[in-house]
Amino acid sequence: MPTDTKSHTPRKPRIGIIGTGNMALALGRALLAAGHFVAYGSRRPETKNEFHEAAGTESRLYGYQAAIDAGEIVIITLPYKEVAAAARKYADSLRGKVVIDITNPFAAQPNDGSSGAQVTATAIGDGARVVAAFKTNFASTIGEPVDSSGQPREVHYAGDDEQAMKTVAELIREIGFKPVNCGTLAQAVALDHMVPLMIRLDASEHASCRKSSFRIAGP
Ligand SMILES: NC(=O)c1ccc[n+]([C@@H]2O[C@H](COP(=O)([O-])OP(=O)(O)OC[C@H]3O[C@@H](n4cnc5c(N)ncnc54)[C@H](OP(=O)(O)O)[C@@H]3O)[C@@H](O)[C@H]2O)c1
């Protein structure tokens, strides 16, 4: 963990969040409340005053490059169709950082069996440390990590870099969720496919409340 130079106490890693939509706001607020520095990146930061107020003015709002530079961990919250191009454009800055890919391909699912997060990692290139996470969590549950049964909701995460996986598991725990290790970046394709199922089940079982979540129950 990075150290605060004045106090020599460990400080929480700084977070850059690319995008200013529903998931960006929900995750950014949770991480800010957990004591992280949070910088958002927008295509047009000058138009996002309302977002910034909702996010908390202790956070920062920049363009993409400055938000990436500000984060030791970068969370990509763009529409999936924008991700590969953004990852390629900012590859030099993203390489080596822990990059959390929360984006869901839906109809744009790669047809060679790859996961969306693998496409992101390939776009960043050698040295990419991508972890797929939060794909299977509705935005409206991020501020409610404990479900109505009193148990923490699961966050499924997957990746190939052991240290990055540990970092993301810790982040998930810090905001009140239960990290569930779902394997490698290749295996994250299962998470991509769980999302349309999650939306269908939320509709059929819970009237599209968008507050449903998966749980793997023990015996
Ligand atoms: N909503 C959920 O419950 C949920 C749950 C899990 C995962 N996800 C995934 O997380 C990602 C973000 O979801 P979201 O619901 O937060 O989306 P959203 O509200 O539409 O936000 C996406 C953000 O991406 C930026 N952006 C860049 N290029 C864009 C473009 N061409 N069109 C629209 N926005 C663009 C925008 O920020 P600027 O205008 O500031 O650039 C926008 O606010 C998606 O990939 C989604 O599949 C969503």
Side-chain angles (χ1 to χ4, degrees):
M1 194 180 271
T3 305
D4 186 307
T5 43
K6 278 190 191 136
S7 63
H8 296 287
T9 49
R11 69 166 171 76
K12 297 190 174 185
R14 296 167 183 268
I15 312 289
I17 299 181
I18 307 309
T20 60
N22 295 316
M23 280 299 276
L25 182 63
L27 287 170
R29 287 171 72 151
L31 289 161
L32 193 69
H36 290 267
F37 169 88
V38 176
Y40 296 92
S42 171
R43 291 167 297 174
R44 286 181 293 275
E46 68 285 359
T47 66
K48 301 284 173 171
N49 288 344
E50 217 172 294
F51 172 89
H52 198 195
E53 271 170 35
T57 44
E58 319 89 280
S59 65
R60 297 287 180 271
L61 179 59
Y62 302 134
Y64 284 8
Q65 181 68 63
I68 292 167
D69 290 345
E72 290 153 321
I73 299 171
V74 177
I75 309 178
I76 301 180
T77 71
L78 304 178
Y80 177 78
K81 66 181 170 59
E82 305 293 337
V83 176
R88 261 191 302 277
K89 181 167 180 189
Y90 298 100
D92 287 347
S93 308
L94 291 170
R95 211 166 287 130
K97 295 194 185 209
V98 175
V99 174
I100 303 180
D101 182 353
I102 73 155
T103 68
N104 292 319
F106 295 106
Q109 186 70 45
N111 56 19
D112 63 356
S114 302
S115 67
Q118 280 180 294
V119 175
T120 307
T122 301
I124 295 172
D126 285 346
R129 304 176 70 209
V130 175
V131 176
F134 296 103
K135 288 170 179 267
T136 55
N137 299 91
F138 284 118
S140 48
T141 63
I142 299 296
E144 297 177 16
V146 175
D147 70 16
S148 57
S149 76
Q151 298 199 63
R153 297 180 200 269
E154 297 176 352
V155 174
H156 306 126
Y157 70 112
D160 296 336
D161 181 305
E162 201 181 324
Q163 197 52 50
M165 287 286 279
K166 280 189 186 151
T167 300
V168 173
E170 179 57 23
L171 214 63
I172 292 167
R173 246 180 246 112
E174 278 181 6
I175 60 170
F177 288 83
K178 178 182 175 191
V180 175
N181 185 334
C182 293
T184 63
L185 222 48
Q187 289 168 328
V189 70
L191 305 184
D192 293 340
H193 290 297
M194 281 166 71
V195 178
L197 175 65
M198 177 175 80
I199 292 168
R200 281 208 307 280
L201 294 178
D202 179 62
S204 63
E205 302 294 314
H206 299 292
S208 295
C209 68
R210 297 295 192 256
K211 294 250 171 130
S212 312
S213 45
F214 284 116
R215 177 180 307 290
I216 178 87

